[in-house]
Amino acid sequence: MAGWDFPAAEQKDNTVMDPARCTPPADGLRLYVFPHAGGSSMMFHHWAARFPATWDVAAIDAPGHGTRWGEEPLTDGDALVSHLLTRLGPGLDASPKPFAFFGHSMGALIAHELTRRLLAQGRTPPLWLGLSACGAPRPGSRPATALLHEASDAELRQRLAQLGGTPPKVLEHNGLWAFFAPVIRADLRLVANWQPAPAPPLPATVAVSVFGGTHDPAAHPTDLARWATHSERYLGLRLLDGGHFYFHHSLPALTTAIMDDIHTAHQPAHPTPTP
């Protein structure tokens, strides 16, 4: 675990599970994936092949990203969640399959807030929520990337190169950088200014798993572990080898862990025995 020391209850075995153990819900499942700041569905287009054939994997583009490039990006977190809830809500409400959310970095904040909104509106929430490379929010605190949207082009390009996830040709080519930089800065501004309203922990009907990279400079394991206080059914924290985009190197371990945890989430929660 790269020297990180956590209580046993907050650690998870990083061994790749036998896929035969990861029995999916019998009627299939739809997994919604929410990308990082500046990211799009393109990064996740190959994920579907790693999950059971009965699963639908839907990576979601926000306005101004990927398949929605021509639209104006939203720079307010609450507005973005409201927009996505309006766009995805009818499909979620009418879905013949159970569904789950996985969010990476900024996408984790979006997935968590979408789950809260669905619950607050009395609608069906995801049976499982996966939160990746994003520390749990704390009142009055700001993320490690809080001032990046104000950085010079040179500083921002250097920082993005350190984090990974942005194609080198975008960072090295001035024309491509000028094209993509406004969307990246808009997302970073959204994350820096977003302060979700306090709320009680998610109920046991939504199982929560947390994932991170062992060498991620933007999401320390201590910050990841705080998600445990935001859930009544916390399945634990898995640290996989790598940095902020650890799944570039650890994708088989991640996707197998997702299947294993969704299988667990699909089972009835066992109440904690009272003394």
Side-chain angles (χ1 to χ4, degrees), residues 80-223:
L80 178 57
V81 171
S82 295
H83 170 86
L84 292 175
L85 189 58
T86 298
R87 189 177 180 91
L88 300 176
L92 297 176
D93 294 338
S95 177
K97 299 180 178 182
F99 61 91
F101 290 164
F102 177 90
H104 179 70
S105 196
M106 181 182 84
L109 293 175
I110 293 170
H112 182 257
E113 188 64 18
L114 275 172
T115 302
R116 287 175 47 177
R117 296 274 190 96
L118 288 168
L119 287 163
Q121 295 175 12
R123 298 160 75 174
T124 302
L127 66 86
W128 177 82
L129 174 63
L131 304 170
S132 169
C134 179
R138 287 185 298 177
S141 69
R142 305 188 78 186
T145 57
L147 299 178
L148 267 185
H149 65 283
E150 299 176 355
S152 67
D153 275 354
E155 183 182 355
L156 180 54
R157 286 159 119 167
Q158 180 182 29
R159 179 69 165 148
L160 292 175
Q162 292 171 348
L163 290 175
T166 305
K169 62 183 179 182
V170 171
L171 300 176
E172 297 165 1
H173 189 283
N174 288 336
L176 287 175
W177 173 252
F179 192 68
F180 285 101
V183 172
I184 295 172
R185 288 186 184 278
D187 283 355
L188 292 172
R189 185 181 304 113
L190 180 152
V191 173
N193 295 328
W194 196 3
Q195 291 289 334
L202 296 178
T205 51
V206 182
V208 175
S209 302
V210 181
F211 303 90
T214 53
H215 301 93
D216 185 351
H220 191 278
T222 301
D223 298 322

